[in-house]
Amino acid sequence: MSEQRQEEGGPSGRRVVVVGAGMAGVQTAVALREQGFDGRVTLIGAEPHQPYDRPPLSKAVLLGNAEGSAFDVDFEGLGIELVLGREVGGLRPADHELDTEAGPVPYDVLVLATGAEPIRLPGAEGVPGVHLLRTLDDAERLRPVLARQHDIVVVGAGWIGAEFATAAREAGCAVTVVEAAGRPLAGALPAEVAAPMAAWYADSGIELRTHARVERVEPGAVVLEDGSRLPAGAVVVGIGARPATAWLAGSGVALGAHREVVADVHLRTSVPDVYAVGDCASFPSGRYGERLLVHHWDNALQGPRTVATNIVGAATDEPLAVYDPVPYFWSEQFGRFVQYAGHHADADRVLWRGDPSGPAWSVCWLRGDRLVALLAVGRARDLAQGKRLIQAGTPMNPRLLTDPARPLKAATRAA
């Protein structure tokens, strides 16, 4: 390392550069300081705004309360250098440098936290009135649309589509949601679990059209493949997201099947001195025996602590921390608080707690007698206890588990 770079790096002689100023990037920078890193920390964000949290975008910001979206972090006081409004165009690991529109940026340790970008609806580029909802600017553009109470068509009945549809109805808009699959949340939940959620749309005065594929979008209308023409003062596309990693082409950083950065159990990439965290990276889960790509807020909150621990520990030869969380997320939609913990792909049994036509119920997935995932609708205590049981690998008693009056923690084999 050159003398100049040692001086730039601060007392420890190291400079950590974090690319991406969303939750994962901000939390990585903060965690480094919390864990005693005294080198230089630089946080680079593509957007010009002060770093902000994304969950409020689908409701609070849309409905006019943007004040609560910025992170409450004293970057200056923590000695974190913020570089905002700067796109990163490439990575040259051999030189330990990033290429940006303002010139190269050297690093000693690099953290990739670029998140995910929304999938765009083919053929809708440039059509007036078509919106995505991923950034603060997206939400600000949509606010006056809701205020004018337009007829709105939402493409995609996933989590973000449901949350936006909820906010649009609260604003007084007429809302139609079109979904190519036969049910909401087709990519996230099994048919039997997602089926009760379809009724939530009608209960909220929203028309849900399933098996509905978009043929084209025109100014003022969405045309479906069956010839239906839906009036649309605005169209909001929520058909998923993919890792924002195109800029890594040619860098040597290994990417996976979904173009995500392939991280190891310590959240290191295939390139020395480069870590990856949050929506842009997958990691191998020993708990579930497969590689997980988790596009949820909690992953972007938890992963940075492991990254910071390993960056700080690498300088002192401390054992590296392993990242193997129980995935968790929540969604507020149609007056319901929906929470999910775990990963149900390899479960061999599904058990219900409560009536899914009612306001509060849960679904438990088991592998053998171990709880591996849980979905809770209006049953926050189930979620809290269930997550701890998943983490502990506690053997469950299926007969007791299906009694919604019994706390989950009292439905174990030992109960």
Side-chain angles (χ1 to χ4, degrees):
M1 187 186 302
S2 69
E3 290 182 4
Q4 178 184 1
R5 287 183 65 166
Q6 286 183 348
E7 292 172 2
E8 288 180 353
S12 76
R14 289 197 299 164
R15 180 186 189 183
V16 176
V17 175
V18 183
V19 183
M23 170 62 79
V26 168
Q27 290 301 319
T28 299
V30 171
L32 282 166
R33 292 303 190 215
E34 289 177 344
Q35 297 186 33
F37 181 77
D38 62 356
R40 185 173 175 184
V41 178
T42 302
L43 181 63
I44 301 177
E47 295 183 56
H49 309 290
Q50 191 75 4
Y52 60 89
D53 205 3
R54 293 194 187 278
L57 298 183
S58 59
K59 186 164 186 180
V61 177
L62 281 176
L63 298 178
N65 181 24
E67 293 78 12
S69 62
F71 289 116
D72 184 18
V73 175
D74 182 1
F75 294 101
E76 184 176 356
L78 289 171
I80 297 169
E81 177 189 12
L82 270 183
V83 180
L84 301 176
R86 184 175 299 182
E87 292 278 356
V88 175
L91 166 61
R92 289 178 285 111
D95 299 322
H96 273 60
E97 285 188 340
L98 291 168
D99 290 323
T100 79
E101 56 195 1
V105 175
Y107 68 85
D108 296 298
V109 180
L110 177 66
V111 181
L112 308 178
T114 47
E117 56 193 8
I119 296 172
R120 298 177 182 273
L121 186 66
E125 293 276 358
V127 178
V130 176
H131 300 264
L132 299 168
L133 181 54
R134 185 70 183 179
T135 68
L136 183 60
D137 288 339
D138 292 337
E140 293 290 357
R141 281 189 288 267
L142 275 165
R143 252 171 61 188
V145 174
L146 299 192
R148 290 193 291 269
Q149 298 186 339
H150 278 301
D151 290 341
I152 292 178
V153 173
V154 180
V155 182
W159 300 112
I160 191 67
E163 291 174 5
F164 176 79
T166 299
R169 277 302 294 150
E170 288 185 20
C173 300
V175 182
T176 301
V177 178
V178 297
E179 169 58 52
R183 62 184 187 276
L185 298 168
L189 296 173
E192 63 181 309
V193 177
M197 299 177 175
W200 298 355
Y201 288 79
D203 291 346
S204 300
I206 296 168
E207 182 181 1
L208 172 64
R209 292 199 180 196
T210 56
H211 300 291
R213 292 187 174 275
V214 175
E215 180 179 282
R216 65 183 184 277
V217 179
E218 302 173 348
V222 173
V223 181
L224 303 181
E225 285 187 351
D226 67 1
S228 301
R229 187 182 183 86
L230 307 177
V235 179
V236 177
V237 179
I239 55 176
R242 60 169 62 95
T245 59
W247 67 280
L248 291 169
S251 69
V253 173
L255 302 182
H258 301 282
R259 307 301 294 168
E260 86 281 9
V261 178
V262 176
D264 68 8
V265 295
H266 309 297
L267 297 181
R268 298 175 302 187
T269 74
S270 60
V271 169
D273 302 320
V274 180
Y275 292 78
V277 67
D279 290 5
C280 72
S282 64
F283 57 90
S285 170
R287 187 190 313 278
Y288 291 105
E290 62 180 283
R291 179 167 288 275
L292 300 182
L293 175 59
V294 180
H295 283 182
H296 292 299
W297 184 91
D298 191 63
N299 180 50
L301 176 67
Q302 303 297 336
R305 297 168 188 167
T306 298
V307 170
T309 296
N310 290 337
I311 291 174
V312 173
T316 57
D317 294 324
E318 293 289 328
L320 294 181
V322 170
Y323 188 59
D324 194 8
V326 174
Y328 166 75
F329 73 90
W330 81 95
S331 176
E332 293 182 272
Q333 52 183 269
F334 312 115
R336 294 167 172 85
F337 188 46
V338 183
Q339 295 173 281
Y340 177 95
H343 181 65
H344 65 264
D346 62 349
D348 50 37
R349 193 171 186 183
V350 180
L351 298 175
W352 293 75
R353 287 169 57 81
D355 181 358
S357 67
W361 47 276
S362 297
V363 180
C364 300
W365 285 269
L366 282 79
R367 185 173 63 237
D369 61 359
R370 300 304 204 273
L371 188 66
V372 295
L374 182 138
L375 175 80
V377 177
R379 291 182 65 96
R381 186 172 69 167
D382 274 7
L383 190 288
Q385 294 181 9
K387 187 176 181 183
R388 288 194 291 269
L389 292 165
I390 295 169
Q391 287 172 327
T394 305
M396 306 300 296
N397 183 323
R399 181 179 59 83
L400 301 179
L401 194 63
T402 56
D403 179 2
R406 180 184 293 269
L408 270 176
K409 64 182 180 181
T412 67
R413 287 289 187 195

